[in-house]
Amino acid sequence: MAALLAAVLVVVVGPSTSAGADSTQLYVYQVSAPTDAVAQRLFDEGFDVLEDRTGTDLFVLGDAATSRQLRAAGFQPTIIQRLKPTGWAPPSTRLVPNSAAPAVAPIDETYYGGYHTVVAQYAHLTSVATAHPDLATVVDYGDSYLKTTNAATGYDLKAICITHIQAGDCALNPNVAKPRFVLMAQIHAREIVTGDIAWRFIDYLAGGYGSVAAVTNLLNSTEVWVIPTVNPDGVDEVQQGGNSPYLQRKNRHGTGCANPPTGSNQLGVDLNRNTVTHWDTTGTTNGRCTQTYPGSSADSEPETKAIEGLFRQLFADQRGPADGAAAPVTTRGAMITMHSYAGMNLFPWGWSNTHTGNDGALRSIAAHMSQLNGYDYGQPGEILYNASGTSDDWSYGELGIASFTIEMASCGSFIPAHSCTATDYNNNLPVLMYVAGIAGAPYQQ
Ligand SMILES: [Zn+2]
């Protein structure tokens, strides 16, 4: 039966996978990068290096020309995946907030088989806070780049604070009674499973208080802050691809790049390369249209400034400025920023293989995360590649809080079928609950 089914599938799938050459066809190339220096050269040459690694091989997204460029640069690329052609379906309507007469209720707006739009994410935050005023409050912590340039475009930047609210809880002040855990999603817009994991986590907490003991205990003791779309301008661009989402990674600051964006040519600044922490020293590219362009200066982007400002309102600075300084064992606070699709648990430093002053505790926490979700763990330079100016290096480096990146497995794709979000969510809910649960004293684990 299985063999018969397989034979039928081959017949069905065969024609579409043998489609003719297409200049807009995208490929994933596997490239050997046996040393840090070779890995860095991929960034220096401007290639779109994906957040994935197998052994000492890295992966590059590009079109047919990218293969020639890689070979010219001395690499030996192998095609391992053929993505959907970029002759995409007409973009969906740009879904700006407050648009008149939306086709569906804002909270129901989806694209690509169920992924929530920015408007839906924000309507969801409002809906949860309205339904659970004892548990949740929404904070507008700034404006996206496009909104700073024109109030009619772009988005507010929004977070939700979830806890069993007592007097003083969720205040924008680091001196509060409860420790805090922050979960960030979609700083890289095209890593779309992460936004929906944030959505599901919010519902799990708001719906579980009083009925799920672990949730009740967590929300009685801890503030959980969730930012479902750190980069809403970028997510808006992704969703305009409709059933073929655009692979926009960065924010939307800039001009003169491919429009609509492609996987290898797009305007914007990589918000996960833009922080001041060893800014533009490794894992970055110089071309404005490349994927890891770090911006014209450290902290140049409104989204970066706004989220750093929010973090400074939520957490006291608990670590000295030297790279090797340890945050004390009394440090409070933890954060996770979600990316895709390497299937890894990462911790600082990302700018170097140098260990932090809290390496023992961070590594121990990451090891436990890996027991829960089955991913590899390590510093980025140990199992992925070095990258500077990242948000978790910044939150650890500036404030001392325990900071982690989870690279969701995401079914091996930036844009998997929506059903994949359930798999990633189920695999990682225990990790989110675990790290939230140790926010009161992460370095005493
Ligand atoms: Zn990412």
Side-chain angles (χ1 to χ4, degrees):
M1 184 60 187
L4 179 61
L5 196 59
V8 170
L9 283 174
V10 167
V11 169
V12 172
V13 171
S16 64
T17 55
S18 61
D22 179 343
S23 63
T24 63
Q25 174 71 55
L26 284 176
Y27 303 92
V28 175
Y29 296 100
Q30 189 163 350
V31 180
S32 175
T35 67
D36 288 347
V38 174
Q40 178 57 34
R41 203 155 60 74
L42 282 170
F43 290 98
D44 291 342
E45 298 277 350
F47 293 110
D48 183 5
V49 183
L50 301 182
E51 294 173 14
D52 195 8
R53 177 167 171 167
T54 296
T56 57
D57 288 357
L58 293 174
F59 300 89
V60 171
L61 181 67
D63 56 18
T66 305
S67 173
R68 294 191 292 275
Q69 291 156 1
L70 282 164
R71 290 179 193 285
F75 297 98
Q76 298 295 322
T78 302
I79 292 174
I80 60 151
Q81 192 179 354
R82 180 193 299 261
L83 301 182
K84 286 182 179 177
T86 51
W88 287 335
S92 55
T93 305
R94 184 178 285 273
L95 297 164
V96 298
N98 307 315
S99 61
V104 297
I107 199 170
D108 294 326
E109 283 183 339
T110 62
Y111 65 103
Y112 191 48
Y115 288 94
H116 293 100
T117 64
V118 180
V119 164
Q121 288 277 7
Y122 285 178
H124 179 233
L125 299 185
T126 302
S127 169
V128 169
T130 301
H132 303 280
D134 55 328
L135 294 177
T137 187
V138 178
V139 169
D140 177 342
Y141 68 91
D143 292 337
S144 71
Y145 171 77
L146 289 178
K147 186 157 187 182
T148 66
T149 63
N150 178 347
T153 66
Y155 290 91
D156 292 326
L157 303 173
K158 292 190 178 182
I160 189 166
C161 173
I162 308 174
T163 190
H164 183 224
I165 297 176
Q166 307 291 313
D169 285 356
C170 301
L172 295 176
N173 174 342
N175 303 312
V176 291
K178 293 174 181 169
R180 286 165 159 161
F181 167 71
V182 178
L183 181 67
M184 298 165 49
Q186 279 191 287
I187 191 171
H188 286 154
R190 68 189 181 185
E191 297 166 12
I192 61 178
V193 299
T194 67
D196 272 34
I197 291 169
W199 177 298
R200 291 168 190 257
F201 187 53
I202 291 167
D203 283 349
Y204 176 72
L205 295 178
Y209 185 82
S211 59
V212 178
V215 172
T216 306
N217 292 338
L218 179 66
L219 299 185
N220 281 340
S221 63
T222 305
E223 289 182 16
V224 177
W225 289 70
V226 183
I227 309 171
T229 51
V230 174
N231 175 14
D233 288 348
V235 177
D236 185 290
E237 193 68 20
V238 169
Q239 70 199 33
Q240 285 187 69
N243 285 330
S244 296
Y246 295 145
L247 295 177
Q248 179 73 26
R249 166 183 170 102
K250 304 181 290 177
N251 76 352
R252 295 286 293 160
H253 180 183
T255 57
C257 304
N259 185 23
T262 73
S264 56
N265 185 326
Q266 59 184 243
L267 58 78
V269 171
D270 186 344
L271 300 175
N272 202 41
R273 297 292 186 277
N274 187 234
T275 74
V276 72
T277 309
H278 291 265
W279 178 79
D280 196 20
T281 55
T282 184
T284 57
T285 45
N286 288 323
R288 289 180 302 105
C289 303
T290 60
Q291 294 291 344
T292 47
Y293 174 58
S296 57
S297 62
D299 293 333
S300 59
E301 301 311 295
E303 293 89 350
T304 311
K305 291 177 190 148
I307 202 162
E308 290 179 359
L310 176 64
F311 269 70
R312 288 190 188 284
Q313 290 177 306
L314 298 183
F315 301 104
D317 179 1
Q318 301 161 88
R319 198 188 76 90
D323 287 336
V329 293
T330 53
T331 297
R332 296 201 318 173
M335 70 84 86
I336 291 173
T337 178
M338 294 189 289
H339 289 254
S340 66
Y341 54 85
M344 293 176 179
N345 301 311
L346 304 171
F347 53 90
W349 296 116
W351 60 269
S352 161
N353 285 359
T354 304
H355 290 182
T356 68
N358 298 97
D359 187 70
L362 291 171
R363 198 170 291 272
S364 167
I365 296 166
H368 190 68
M369 293 165 70
S370 291
Q371 288 174 0
L372 297 172
N373 64 11
Y375 298 166
D376 293 337
Y377 70 97
Q379 286 181 232
E382 294 169 345
I383 59 173
L384 186 61
Y385 46 73
N386 284 318
S388 56
T390 64
S391 43
D392 48 346
D393 269 12
W394 183 89
S395 58
Y396 171 75
E398 292 294 313
L399 305 171
I401 66 173
S403 303
F404 302 91
T405 291
I406 300 179
E407 288 273 350
M408 297 292 159
S410 192
C411 299
S413 168
F414 288 129
I415 51 171
H418 186 253
S419 57
C420 189
T421 64
T423 304
D424 280 346
Y425 173 73
N426 290 331
N427 285 342
N428 283 284
L429 176 61
V431 181
L432 304 185
M433 291 296 289
Y434 161 61
V435 178
I438 63 171
Y443 303 136
Q444 293 179 30
Q445 305 311 306

